[in-house]
């Protein structure tokens, strides 16, 4: 798994605790039940009210898969597709049915089976694009849900502060109580900002990024399978697929350079 989210959250909360320690602020001073209940309870409540119960449940279920998700390996995917293309070129498209049986990836397995079944290229592209959309719909909704929580939380915190300050004004005749009451009032705003920027927005961003990587992976597989169906020469297929991947995601030897493209084009022409 990519530990970026966990490292980032630990670093963020660690910096906050470090600042409070350096300023000799009691950490427990921000853990006041009233503001915590208001900020988290109201934020989740309005998030739930803005959608469906199923959306909220599925969104929270998406957290663990997003954090534990492995980064796709485009180099391996390209190598696998080139190998499949070589076998299809030598044995025909019907051989892809046997190849599909040994594939673990459900998306690639289904695509190869469709090619072996003789599905038309345009129909297959439409089918695979629809499958990509349906496979990522849940993650897209989850990312939207947590992003919305990140938008609600600061406003809810301000509401909590206003409510508490109203209580402060009721106690102006008791100067000794004003300090603790004012401090308590601003804790709601603090948690509104903290929960938005250190919890909800990072989670939403993580889910969205994992979804984008998954879409890129499946798109790469789709284009590879469609090229195999068209009978694209294996070496040219490898170059085409590598051109779809950012250079930073490929090993140095797998990056497309002009000399390699020229060589591949010359081989195809020959």
């Amino acid at each position: 798994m990519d530990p970026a989210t966990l490292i980032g959250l630990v670093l963020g909360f660690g910096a906050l605790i470090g600042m409070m320690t350096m300023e000799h602020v009691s950490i427990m001073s921000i853990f006041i039940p009233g503001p915590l209940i208001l900020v988290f309870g109201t934020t989740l409540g309005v998030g739930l009210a803005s959608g469906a119960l199923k959306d909220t449940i599925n969104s929270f279920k998406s957290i663990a898969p997003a954090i534990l998700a492995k980064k796709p390996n485009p180099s391996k995917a390209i190598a696998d597709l080139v190998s499949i293309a070589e076998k299809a070129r030598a044995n025909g498209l019907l051989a892809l049915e046997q190849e599909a049986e040994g594939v673990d990836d459900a998306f690639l397995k289904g695509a190869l089976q469709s090619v072996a079944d003789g599905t038309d290229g345009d129909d297959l592209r439409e089918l695979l694009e629809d499958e990509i959309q349906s496979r990522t719909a849940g993650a897209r909704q989850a990312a939207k849900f947590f992003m919305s929580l990140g938008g609600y939380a600061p406003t809810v915190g301000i509401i909590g502060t206003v409510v508490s300050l109203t209580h402060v004004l009721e106690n102006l005749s008791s100067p000794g109580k004003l300090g603790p009451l004012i401090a308590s009032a601003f804790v709601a705003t603090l948690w509104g900002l903290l929960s938005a920027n250190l919890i909800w927005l990072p989670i939403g961003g993580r889910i969205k990024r994992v979804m984008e990587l998954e879409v890129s992976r499946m798109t790469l597989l789709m284009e590879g399978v469609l090229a195999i169906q068209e009978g694209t020469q294996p070496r040219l297929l490898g170059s085409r697929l590598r051109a779809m991947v950012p250079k930073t995601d490929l090993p140095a030897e797998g990056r497309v350079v002009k000399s390699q493209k020229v060589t591949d084009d010359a081989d195809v022409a020959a």
Side-chain angles (χ1 to χ4, degrees):
M1 58 172 278
D2 185 343
T5 299
L6 295 179
I7 293 175
L9 292 178
V10 170
L11 181 61
F13 280 103
L16 172 65
I17 294 174
M19 182 275 291
M20 296 180 66
T21 302
M22 294 175 65
E23 296 292 333
H24 305 290
V25 178
S26 173
I27 296 177
M28 297 308 298
S29 64
I30 66 173
F31 289 95
I32 302 176
L36 286 171
I37 293 173
L38 173 70
V39 171
F40 284 94
T42 304
T43 299
L44 292 174
V46 294
L48 175 61
S50 65
L53 178 60
K54 183 178 179 181
D55 294 335
T56 302
I57 295 174
N58 290 336
S59 294
F60 279 97
K61 287 182 178 180
S62 300
I63 296 177
I67 294 177
L68 299 176
K70 296 181 179 179
K71 185 178 180 180
N73 187 347
S75 297
K76 182 179 183 303
I78 292 172
D80 291 342
L81 289 168
V82 170
S83 176
I84 293 172
E86 291 173 346
K87 294 176 181 178
R89 191 177 181 86
N91 304 317
L93 294 179
L94 290 177
L96 296 181
E97 184 173 4
Q98 183 177 359
E99 285 295 316
E101 295 178 357
V103 173
D104 295 329
D105 186 280
F107 180 79
L108 179 57
K109 185 184 187 75
L112 293 176
Q113 186 62 56
S114 296
V115 173
D117 292 340
T119 305
D120 178 74
D122 292 336
D123 292 338
L124 179 57
R125 176 179 291 277
E126 184 176 353
L127 173 65
L128 295 179
E129 288 177 346
D130 289 343
E131 185 172 352
I132 291 174
Q133 288 294 320
S134 63
R135 280 173 174 262
T136 57
R140 192 177 297 106
Q141 176 59 42
K144 181 181 178 181
F145 174 78
F146 287 111
M147 290 294 187
S148 69
L149 294 188
Y152 295 138
T155 304
V156 171
I158 293 174
I159 293 173
T161 297
V162 172
V163 172
S164 296
L165 287 177
T166 301
H167 182 55
V168 170
L169 295 176
E170 294 175 347
N171 290 271
L172 290 179
S173 59
S174 304
K177 298 180 180 180
L178 294 182
L181 289 175
I182 292 174
S184 176
F186 284 103
V187 167
T189 297
L190 173 64
W191 275 109
L193 295 171
L194 282 179
S195 62
N197 293 283
L198 294 183
I199 300 177
W200 308 129
L201 293 179
I203 291 176
R206 171 71 176 197
I207 294 174
K208 181 180 179 181
R209 181 54 180 158
V210 170
M211 177 200 69
E212 291 172 345
L213 291 174
E214 181 65 6
V215 169
S216 297
R217 184 190 71 83
M218 290 190 291
T219 300
L220 183 72
L221 295 176
M222 178 185 71
E223 294 297 338
V225 171
L226 290 172
I228 292 173
Q229 185 184 41
E230 295 172 357
T232 303
Q233 196 263 355
R235 291 188 63 188
L236 178 59
L237 172 63
S239 297
R240 286 177 56 183
L241 296 179
R242 284 190 291 270
M244 295 176 58
V245 180
K247 291 183 178 181
T248 54
D249 292 339
L250 291 173
E253 65 273 15
R255 296 177 184 172
V256 177
V257 293
K258 291 184 178 180
S259 59
Q260 181 181 6
K261 292 180 69 178
V262 170
T263 301
D264 290 341
D265 293 341
D267 291 341
V268 174

